[in-house]
Amino acid sequence: MELWYTEEHTENAKFSIKVKEQLYSEESEFQKIDFFESEEFGTFFTLDGLMMVNEKDEFIYHDMIVHVPMATNPNIKKVLVIGGGDGGTVRELTRYNTIEQIDMVEIDEQVVRACEKYLPITSSKLQDERVNLYFEDGLAFVKNTDNIYDLIIVDSTDPIGPGEGLFTEEFYNNCSKALSEEGILVNQHESPYYERDAHEMKRAHRKIKRLFPISKVYQFHMPTYPSGHWLFGFASKKFDPIKDIKVEQWNSLELKTKYYNTDLHVGCFALPTYVNEMLESADE
Amino acid sequence: MELWYTEEHTENAKFSIKVKEQLYSEESEFQKIDFFESEEFGTFFTLDGLMMVNEKDEFIYHDMIVHVPMATNPNIKKVLVIGGGDGGTVRELTRYNTIEQIDMVEIDEQVVRACEKYLPITSSKLQDERVNLYFEDGLAFVKNTDNIYDLIIVDSTDPIGPGEGLFTEEFYNNCSKALSEEGILVNQHESPYYERDAHEMKRAHRKIKRLFPISKVYQFHMPTYPSGHWLFGFASKKFDPIKDIKVEQWNSLELKTKYYNTDLHVGCFALPTYVNEMLESADE
């Protein structure tokens, strides 16, 4: 017998992973949660059937979502993570001794509990004493918080299902209000390659660039996401991720990273022409 | 009825494309050649079952294999292309009026003839008057040529089947001899992500870096190749692709490109840390 997990990247293209066994399958209040064990990618989990995190390439995503803003402003002390129930983003953040507070707001506690059981390396720092976990709606949390953060990371699913509110203008606007004058917003920014993903990429960029003086997009290779070409957004009131990168300061921390380095930090903001054109035309 | 083309990226991961119809299927002297029509990727063809070229993302591959060396040395006049039977590399080269001669050596004439029929845009410049087509073994051609080239592009399949000789030390050595003192060698350099591809990437790099004073690797997003993370090698006797890039000169040509631009040219040489480490340890 062979067991294969298949994800439709579009109606006409699909990616399949051979599965050793299904470890977990629950319908939470918000979504369908499945964990699998595989030869190629180790343990992985899906939400509503879409690949979220696997042991083989999660280092890419979490390196890029955390170290790019941290190398731009090493003085970041208070961080808000929206989503990110797997804990990988928090894990990378806790490597900075200079960070004093990490608030993580994940709508679905069941995701966190399952990741603590089945992805112990990814979720290993959720119990760090600087981390405060809130199992709430990120949209409402940001609207109601009196806290001011130096960095907000939107580590969300796609803008369907529980992640939908995290792609609205209201949400980005409340993020802007919850950020200090030196604040940085990094968000999961979809992909330029397949039409539906590109549509969401343009919608997100259009909203964010209206609200932030500096609004850029950077790319990375994420083999298990549709097309393997994925993007994060970098928005800020003050810091430019290329002009303001602190190369020597970041390298002096001697953090061992498998994907991120300060050369790549600069390089990943150089996008293909067709992606630049899509982002520039996002207003239309 | 549904018809799906499936490529095994590894034994445990596969990518599938919904096919409208199979256009062509022949066993040539060298390999199995298949052409398909699809909704997502337009017309595409495979050799021995592996994706080679499709209408949706071929611009990425051909932009990156041609414009990176051409922007590094715009004085390139004589070019040798090994492989590249689809004609996309030649098409991009012919956009430079300053190129005087393009010799293309493709072992399998049947690939060229089928591409002329089913991929007319990709193969559109194979009849350009500067192009000389040789249906020969690239390994023997480079060994026996008295020509001296400014640029050799190895647009090969993987190092199994007819492409195998194009990954040998003998071949790279003969390329070096057939290059002028200003010569540049660009080669299809596999991928760092899946184990088998990474193994070939390291083998190729080990051989090339022994022979050329300058030997670098650059990356791009190729959604239909395994993992979507693909590499080309840039080797040269004189030119450094970053220090010697002629940004203004290349932009003054006003070539419209969908993927390549001079910012990306610099950015694509910044590789993830794990890829750098693999390349550095290639000698071991």
Side-chain angles (χ1 to χ4, degrees):
Chain A
M1 186 199 86
E2 290 192 355
L3 190 60
W4 289 81
Y5 157 80
T6 294
E7 177 173 340
E8 289 191 358
H9 286 179
T10 75
E11 279 179 24
N12 303 300
K14 58 191 186 186
F15 182 64
S16 304
I17 297 171
K18 195 171 178 178
V19 165
K20 288 190 201 167
E21 63 174 314
Q22 181 156 21
L23 302 170
Y24 176 96
S25 184
E26 293 290 341
E27 186 88 36
S28 80
E29 187 184 342
F30 305 100
Q31 54 208 339
K32 177 91 171 357
I33 308 167
D34 290 283
F35 279 72
F36 301 94
E37 180 62 30
S38 74
E39 186 72 46
E40 192 66 52
F41 300 97
T43 303
F44 68 94
F45 85 97
T46 63
L47 294 178
D48 290 335
L50 303 180
M51 167 66 77
M52 292 293 123
V53 171
N54 66 75
E55 289 182 305
K56 185 176 167 84
D57 69 12
E58 61 96 352
F59 72 99
I60 299 170
Y61 185 98
H62 295 124
D63 265 19
M64 294 304 277
I65 208 166
V66 166
H67 302 305
V68 170
M70 289 306 299
T72 304
N73 178 20
N75 293 320
I76 285 168
K77 290 186 172 52
K78 280 183 71 173
V79 184
L80 173 62
V81 178
I82 315 255
D86 57 89
T89 298
V90 163
R91 180 194 63 202
E92 291 305 309
L93 286 166
T94 60
R95 301 177 72 192
Y96 294 87
N97 296 330
T98 46
I99 291 180
E100 296 169 359
Q101 180 181 335
I102 303 168
D103 293 345
M104 180 177 131
V105 183
E106 163 62 54
I107 199 167
D108 196 342
E109 183 173 356
Q110 254 180 271
V111 170
V112 175
R113 298 306 167 215
C115 287
E116 286 177 329
K117 181 164 182 189
Y118 296 109
L119 287 169
I121 293 172
T122 313
S123 59
S124 57
K125 297 294 178 184
L126 287 174
Q127 303 310 321
D128 187 284
E129 59 182 10
R130 293 167 290 171
V131 177
N132 308 302
L133 289 182
Y134 299 89
F135 298 112
E136 298 176 24
D137 177 25
L139 185 63
F141 184 94
V142 181
K143 190 176 175 180
N144 300 323
T145 186
D146 294 326
N147 278 314
I148 295 295
Y149 296 96
D150 304 309
L151 170 63
I152 297 177
I153 294 179
V154 187
D155 183 0
S156 71
T157 56
D158 295 335
I160 29 167
E164 199 171 350
L166 306 182
F167 282 78
T168 59
E169 193 149 0
E170 183 195 356
F171 172 69
Y172 296 132
N173 197 26
N174 286 326
C175 285
S176 174
K177 287 179 188 163
L179 281 168
S180 69
E181 283 311 301
E182 301 206 325
I184 295 171
L185 173 71
V186 170
N187 69 304
Q188 195 279 91
H189 213 302
E190 302 289 315
S191 165
Y193 189 70
Y194 292 121
E195 197 176 343
R196 190 179 49 190
D197 304 327
H199 177 70
E200 299 301 344
M201 171 197 86
K202 284 187 276 188
R203 280 182 63 205
H205 189 63
R206 181 170 59 228
K207 294 169 189 170
I208 293 170
K209 76 177 178 182
R210 280 192 203 137
L211 292 166
F212 289 86
I214 294 161
S215 167
K216 306 208 168 179
V217 170
Y218 59 101
Q219 65 183 2
F220 53 101
H221 286 92
M222 193 69 192
T224 54
Y225 282 7
S227 87
H229 189 176
W230 217 257
L231 306 172
F232 288 140
F234 180 107
S236 166
K237 301 179 183 181
K238 179 178 162 186
F239 286 110
D240 181 288
I242 297 174
K243 288 183 198 141
D244 295 316
I245 180 180
K246 313 294 183 301
V247 172
E248 285 180 25
Q249 196 175 343
W250 191 85
N251 285 308
S252 74
L253 296 175
E254 296 187 352
L255 297 177
K256 171 84 186 138
T257 47
K258 235 176 110 181
Y259 194 85
Y260 177 84
N261 58 63
T262 49
D263 287 339
L264 186 76
H265 175 127
V266 176
C268 71
F269 285 92
L271 303 176
T273 302
Y274 85 99
V275 183
N276 284 329
E277 289 175 353
M278 277 183 181
L279 293 170
E280 283 158 19
S281 71
D283 282 330
E284 294 159 15
Chain B
M1 187 199 87
E2 290 191 355
L3 189 61
W4 288 81
Y5 156 80
T6 294
E7 178 173 338
E8 288 188 359
H9 286 178
T10 75
E11 278 178 27
N12 302 302
K14 58 190 185 187
F15 182 64
S16 304
I17 298 171
K18 195 171 179 180
V19 165
K20 287 191 202 168
E21 63 174 315
Q22 180 155 24
L23 302 169
Y24 175 98
S25 183
E26 292 290 340
E27 186 87 36
S28 80
E29 187 184 340
F30 305 99
Q31 54 208 340
K32 179 91 172 355
I33 309 169
D34 290 282
F35 280 72
F36 301 93
E37 180 63 29
S38 74
E39 186 72 46
E40 191 67 51
F41 300 98
T43 303
F44 68 93
F45 83 99
T46 63
L47 295 177
D48 291 334
L50 303 180
M51 168 65 77
M52 291 292 124
V53 171
N54 66 76
E55 289 182 304
K56 186 176 167 84
D57 71 10
E58 62 98 351
F59 72 99
I60 299 170
Y61 185 97
H62 295 123
D63 265 19
M64 293 304 278
I65 207 167
V66 166
H67 302 305
V68 170
M70 290 305 299
T72 304
N73 177 19
N75 294 320
I76 285 168
K77 291 186 171 55
K78 282 183 71 172
V79 184
L80 174 61
V81 178
I82 314 255
D86 57 272
T89 297
V90 163
R91 181 194 63 201
E92 291 304 308
L93 287 166
T94 61
R95 300 177 73 191
Y96 293 87
N97 296 329
T98 46
I99 291 180
E100 295 169 359
Q101 181 182 336
I102 303 167
D103 293 346
M104 178 176 131
V105 183
E106 163 61 54
I107 201 168
D108 197 341
E109 182 173 357
Q110 253 178 271
V111 170
V112 175
R113 299 307 168 215
C115 287
E116 287 176 328
K117 184 166 180 187
Y118 296 108
L119 287 169
I121 293 172
T122 313
S123 60
S124 57
K125 296 295 179 182
L126 287 174
Q127 303 310 319
D128 186 284
E129 59 182 7
R130 293 167 290 174
V131 177
N132 307 302
L133 290 182
Y134 299 88
F135 298 111
E136 297 176 24
D137 176 26
L139 185 64
F141 184 94
V142 180
K143 189 175 176 179
N144 300 324
T145 188
D146 294 327
N147 278 315
I148 295 295
Y149 296 96
D150 304 309
L151 170 64
I152 297 177
I153 294 178
V154 187
D155 183 359
S156 71
T157 55
D158 294 336
I160 28 166
E164 199 172 348
L166 305 182
F167 282 77
T168 60
E169 192 149 3
E170 183 195 357
F171 172 69
Y172 297 132
N173 197 24
N174 286 325
C175 284
S176 174
K177 287 180 186 161
L179 281 169
S180 68
E181 283 311 301
E182 302 207 323
I184 294 170
L185 173 71
V186 170
N187 69 305
Q188 195 279 91
H189 213 301
E190 300 290 318
S191 166
Y193 189 71
Y194 291 122
E195 196 177 344
R196 189 178 51 189
D197 303 327
H199 177 70
E200 299 300 345
M201 172 196 86
K202 284 186 275 187
R203 279 182 63 206
H205 188 64
R206 181 170 59 228
K207 294 169 188 170
I208 292 170
K209 77 177 179 183
R210 280 192 202 137
L211 292 166
F212 289 87
I214 294 160
S215 168
K216 305 207 168 180
V217 170
Y218 60 103
Q219 65 182 2
F220 53 102
H221 287 91
M222 193 67 191
T224 54
Y225 282 9
S227 86
H229 189 176
W230 217 257
L231 305 171
F232 287 140
F234 180 107
S236 164
K237 301 179 182 180
K238 180 179 163 186
F239 287 111
D240 181 288
I242 297 175
K243 287 183 199 143
D244 295 315
I245 181 179
K246 313 294 184 301
V247 172
E248 286 179 23
Q249 196 175 342
W250 192 84
N251 285 309
S252 73
L253 297 174
E254 296 187 352
L255 297 177
K256 171 86 185 136
T257 47
K258 232 174 113 183
Y259 194 85
Y260 177 85
N261 58 63
T262 49
D263 288 340
L264 186 75
H265 175 127
V266 176
C268 70
F269 284 91
L271 303 177
T273 302
Y274 85 97
V275 183
N276 283 330
E277 288 174 354
M278 278 184 180
L279 293 169
E280 282 158 20
S281 71
D283 281 332
E284 291 159 17

